[in-house]
Amino acid sequence: MLTNPLTKNISKENTAADITQYLDNDGYQGWRKAHSMVPDDIINLVKDGGLRGRGGAGFNTGLKWSFVPRGEGSPEQKFVVCNADEMEPGTFKDRLLMERDPHLLLEGMAIAAYAIGASIGYIFIRGEYHLAAERLERAIEEAKSQGLIGKNIFDSDFSLEIFVHRSAGNYICGEETALLNALEGQRAIPRAKPPFPQVSGLWGKPTVVNNVETFCNIPHLVAYGVDWYRGLGVGQDAGSKIFGVSGKVKNPGTWELPMGTPIREIIEQYAGGMRDGLRLKGFLPGGGSTDFLGPDHLDLPMDYDVIGKAGSRMGTGTIIVLDDKTCPIGLVLNLTQFFARESCGWCTPCRDGLPWIVKVLQRIESGEGLPEDLELLHEQCKRIAPGKTFCALAPGAAEPIQSSLKLFEQDYIDHIKKGCCPYK
Amino acid sequence: MSSVLEPELIEVMEQSNKDPEELSETLTDEEKREIDEEASHYEGKSSVGLEALRIVQKYRGWISDGSLQAIANYLDMPVAQLESVATYFQLIFRQPVGKEVILLCKSASCWVMGCDQLQKHISQSLQIEPGQTTKDGIFTLLEAPCLGDCDKAPVLMLGEEMYRNLDESAIDALIDKKKQIHADKSSH
Ligand SMILES: Cc1cc2nc3c(=O)[nH]c(=O)nc-3n(C[C@H](O)[C@H](O)[C@H](O)COP(=O)(O)O)c2cc1C
Ligand code: SF4
Ligand code: FES
């Protein structure tokens, strides 16, 4: 049975599977099957499959879809939106899927649109992903020419248009409500929740926003069913996942592996372990807004709840490795500078708090830190904790900082005591 | 009458009192056609502000006050509303940029792999800091957020091309190649 549904069409060459190759390899079978089903049954199937969103938060996808009002009296116009902003530092999986197998994303979006009754879909893609946007646009034309999307699909009364929306660079646009504002042509600041987008989203209409990789899971889940899909995972969570490793390992890259694959296997076997002469000091398991874990955590399986219990998050499943010759405070400073710059500025703890933390980290890194700075950093992290700000950008920014204070406390103390960065 | 206002501010205020039409440039038929095409994908003309900015920037390199006004007029929206979108996005340029915009990734994985050093190297060889343009108007250097190619760090983007697994010599070769292309162009 198929074990790599997400990457089965992806070859080493940097080419995209075109519609002929895609169809020859059982493409759009999931869409054909879904179209013969009742929408409620598709939603239940996705829910029972246990697919959790691959954009970072890991929410059950079918459950999310089920919140869309349906039937009598619900708004007729609904939207399905693909979040292809992918700007989280250290995250590089959606690009691969869109560039190499654009039809897989379109097929997933078509099934989602049909399940919730949406007739328009948007792919919100970051402005730097030119190749992916072009290949998606071409794939949309191809799919239309085969009657797979467009008007009266499979001779039914269901129609679906999909458009590519190119953004122009801003991390906050990836936050789903900010993304909706951006799509409406406004400044991309987050919206208050509730109401959730599933009820009142784009132009006030019910809208489902999912990540690229999430949509890419749908076609095969529908085609092969819940048991097969659940069986792909080797731990608690269902399905397969594109994991990635960057940093000073021998073979950085991406691999489609079962959910629940142990971290050690990903870093040592697939990424080839650390480069010669370096030791693993810590890692961010799922992008720049997750908490550091240490060598003690290497045997944990990559499952949402397990990584959560260990004090971090699966996030996007792309691991950033920190070696023992690279300054952890420098890395945290770099991350915090990113989040401070990308803040939308709506709420004070984030707008003012992050630049303050940057200043404190800068003075520690440059050897002018004070002993009381550590307490100050702890204090600041509390002020941008979940619930203290309007959206999850600031709490996400706090994660690498607060975990570094625990895991690399000695490094902070050394910087302050020695009055310089010991790594330089 | 003496004024406590800075001369620059007076100028700005005088400008803003002018008839908007007077400040505006005109959009070309091609630009209008592309904007209309995009607008057909969204509800309401003002939704297409960012696309319109992108389209005009594609032809003119950057968004001047005149272009901004022209787009706002065309989309029937207040120029301040369009400006609030224009200034929000890093890839919309409200100042002139060079013919080649270098987006050097400065995020986590590229930092671990030494992007700071590369930035210094580029700055030294082009004699510009991030945010600046070379005297000959060819290169602008910008620091970019993670470009989604972290396993091939350090990386940069130039035009629509990604350049991966960079080191100083790869960067020198790239800069030389681009310089050559522009020298050839200007000698014709
Ligand atoms: C600051 C911020 C940036 C985000 N960026 C992205 C992103 O680039 N891509 C993405 O899929 N989700 C991103 N998210 C998560 C989205 O808000 C949302 O949870 C996700 O798109 C839902 O899709 P999923 O359920 O399929 O994961 C971001 C969240 C925050 C707070
Ligand atoms: S937490 Fe930051 S990014 Fe989110 S709404 Fe507040 S200021 Fe904006
Ligand atoms: S950190 Fe540079 S490409 Fe991701």
Side-chain angles (χ1 to χ4, degrees):
Chain A
M1 221 25 203
L2 182 65
T3 55
N4 62 333
L6 297 169
T7 54
K8 70 168 189 171
N9 291 319
I10 294 181
S11 62
K12 280 228 157 27
E13 292 86 59
N14 185 10
T15 52
D18 68 10
I19 186 90
T20 321
Q21 291 163 318
Y22 190 73
L23 287 170
D24 285 350
N25 208 0
D26 287 340
Y28 288 104
Q29 290 305 324
W31 178 207
R32 271 178 206 286
K33 184 171 169 198
H35 194 270
S36 69
M37 292 167 68
V38 188
D40 275 358
D41 290 346
I42 304 173
I43 294 179
N44 285 330
L45 186 148
V46 172
K47 204 195 296 181
D48 296 343
L51 167 60
R52 301 178 66 166
R54 306 298 199 229
F59 194 79
N60 181 296
T61 304
L63 193 60
K64 186 190 248 186
W65 294 3
S66 74
F67 299 146
V68 175
R70 274 162 299 146
E72 293 269 312
S74 68
E76 204 173 309
Q77 179 70 66
K78 300 180 181 88
F79 297 100
V80 45
V81 175
C82 173
N83 190 342
D85 203 46
E86 191 161 66
M87 279 175 76
E88 171 100 355
T91 297
F92 50 103
K93 64 187 180 69
D94 295 340
R95 177 204 277 274
L96 175 86
L97 288 166
M98 291 188 285
E99 285 184 355
R100 309 288 186 86
D101 201 8
H103 283 287
L104 183 61
L105 171 57
L106 298 184
E107 185 176 0
M109 285 183 74
I111 297 171
Y114 178 74
I116 65 155
S119 57
I120 296 183
Y122 293 102
I123 301 171
F124 185 101
I125 188 167
R126 61 180 297 184
E128 294 90 341
Y129 280 10
H130 300 279
L131 185 61
E134 274 160 29
R135 287 182 174 176
L136 282 164
E137 273 162 357
R138 190 182 326 139
I140 290 171
E141 288 311 313
E142 287 175 342
K144 267 183 154 169
S145 73
Q146 302 270 335
L148 295 159
I149 53 178
K151 291 227 155 34
N152 303 110
I153 300 166
F154 305 130
D155 293 324
S156 72
D157 58 5
F158 181 74
S159 299
L160 172 66
E161 292 292 338
I162 297 181
F163 302 112
V164 174
H165 172 98
R166 295 167 197 234
S167 183
N170 217 317
Y171 174 60
I172 191 63
C173 289
E175 198 281 335
E176 62 178 1
T177 59
L179 182 150
L180 297 176
N181 273 333
L183 262 179
E184 289 182 7
Q186 304 175 45
R187 229 174 142 84
I189 48 173
R191 298 176 179 176
K193 292 193 271 191
F196 286 90
Q198 295 92 304
V199 177
S200 174
L202 202 51
W203 294 293
K205 306 286 167 30
T207 305
V208 158
V209 182
N210 278 126
N211 170 257
V212 173
E213 191 185 0
T214 310
F215 281 121
C216 290
N217 273 270
I218 307 287
H220 295 96
L221 168 53
V222 171
Y224 300 129
V226 166
D227 292 338
W228 164 79
Y229 187 76
R230 287 193 160 272
L232 283 179
V234 293
Q236 291 174 1
D237 284 322
S240 59
K241 170 93 189 74
I242 300 194
F243 293 111
V245 180
S246 63
K248 291 191 174 162
V249 289
K250 288 201 182 104
N251 179 35
T254 47
W255 310 273
E256 181 182 3
L257 301 170
M259 280 298 275
T261 300
I263 298 168
R264 186 185 297 283
E265 192 177 322
I266 300 173
I267 294 180
E268 291 179 2
Q269 196 170 321
Y270 290 93
M274 301 306 291
R275 287 189 181 181
D276 292 335
L278 297 176
R279 269 189 319 110
L280 177 120
K281 185 171 173 92
F283 59 93
L284 297 158
S289 68
T290 59
D291 294 79
F292 279 100
L293 294 175
D296 296 352
H297 297 108
L298 278 173
D299 291 310
L300 293 180
M302 279 292 242
D303 274 320
Y304 288 97
D305 295 339
V306 177
I307 303 295
K309 275 203 195 98
S312 188
R313 292 189 306 119
M314 249 281 279
T316 59
T318 38
I319 301 169
I320 305 173
V321 164
L322 172 71
D323 57 272
D324 62 342
K325 299 263 163 63
T326 300
C327 177
I329 296 163
L331 178 55
V332 175
L333 171 60
N334 174 279
L335 286 165
T336 316
Q337 278 169 325
F338 170 84
F339 292 116
R341 192 173 87 173
E342 299 294 322
S343 162
C344 83
W346 187 247
C347 35
T348 315
C350 174
R351 183 190 57 238
D352 289 356
L354 289 175
W356 190 359
I357 298 176
V358 166
K359 269 194 187 158
V360 178
L361 288 169
Q362 255 164 350
R363 81 172 168 236
I364 297 176
E365 175 66 358
S366 67
E368 284 153 29
L370 311 165
E372 53 269 33
D373 280 347
L374 295 188
E375 196 42 49
L376 189 59
L377 287 174
H378 279 293
E379 192 68 21
Q380 288 300 317
C381 285
K382 277 190 212 136
R383 284 175 206 227
I384 52 170
K388 300 270 165 65
T389 58
F390 205 66
C391 90
L393 183 140
E399 291 182 23
I401 309 169
Q402 71 198 10
S403 52
S404 73
L405 285 168
K406 262 186 275 166
L407 225 60
F408 312 127
E409 190 182 9
Q410 194 54 48
D411 287 294
Y412 280 96
I413 295 171
D414 288 350
H415 274 74
I416 295 171
K417 270 203 184 138
K418 293 187 179 140
C420 66
C421 173
Y423 291 85
K424 279 189 184 134
Chain B
M1 195 184 81
S2 69
S3 170
V4 291
L5 290 178
E6 304 282 333
E8 295 84 20
L9 197 53
I10 296 176
E11 199 179 309
V12 168
M13 289 171 72
E14 277 169 356
Q15 288 265 324
S16 59
N17 286 335
K18 278 193 191 152
D19 178 2
E21 295 295 338
E22 223 176 289
L23 270 176
S24 93
E25 293 163 17
T26 36
L27 298 183
T28 64
D29 290 341
E30 180 64 12
E31 287 167 340
K32 287 184 191 163
R33 195 191 57 70
E34 287 187 31
I35 294 172
D36 291 343
E37 156 83 23
E38 279 295 329
S40 67
H41 303 166
Y42 301 86
E43 273 182 25
K45 247 182 158 183
S46 65
S47 294
V48 82
L50 177 61
E51 283 78 1
L53 291 163
R54 290 182 65 95
I55 289 164
V56 171
Q57 181 166 291
K58 183 176 74 183
Y59 290 107
R60 308 181 185 200
W62 65 292
I63 302 292
S64 66
D65 291 347
S67 310
L68 191 76
Q69 186 71 58
I71 300 168
N73 291 350
Y74 190 65
L75 297 180
D76 248 343
M77 65 197 284
V79 70
Q81 192 184 330
L82 188 65
E83 173 77 320
S84 79
V85 172
T87 53
Y88 201 75
F89 292 92
Q90 290 147 12
L91 296 179
I92 298 296
F93 306 131
R94 287 288 278 115
Q95 285 177 30
V97 289
K99 297 185 184 86
E100 305 280 355
V101 177
I102 302 173
L103 296 174
L104 178 71
C105 177
K106 289 297 290 284
S107 285
S109 312
C110 287
W111 182 84
V112 169
M113 302 306 284
C115 66
D116 277 356
Q117 207 48 46
L118 284 186
Q119 185 249 299
K120 281 191 198 121
H121 182 73
I122 298 174
S123 285
Q124 217 161 37
S125 68
L126 293 179
Q127 291 292 305
I128 47 171
E129 290 303 309
Q132 297 178 336
T133 301
T134 49
K135 279 210 192 77
D136 57 10
I138 295 179
F139 297 98
T140 297
L141 174 62
L142 297 177
E143 298 187 341
C146 173
L147 291 169
D149 248 327
C150 325
D151 53 337
K152 304 183 188 66
V155 303
L156 66 75
M157 199 169 171
L158 216 166
E160 300 194 354
E161 283 297 315
M162 287 294 298
Y163 296 86
R164 308 173 165 103
N165 296 314
L166 292 169
D167 55 24
E168 293 184 1
S169 66
I171 286 198
D172 290 343
L174 178 61
I175 290 176
D176 283 348
K177 194 178 95 190
K178 291 288 172 187
K179 274 187 182 158
Q180 192 58 48
I181 290 171
H182 289 282
D184 289 350
K185 265 190 205 154
S186 61
S187 67
H188 285 307

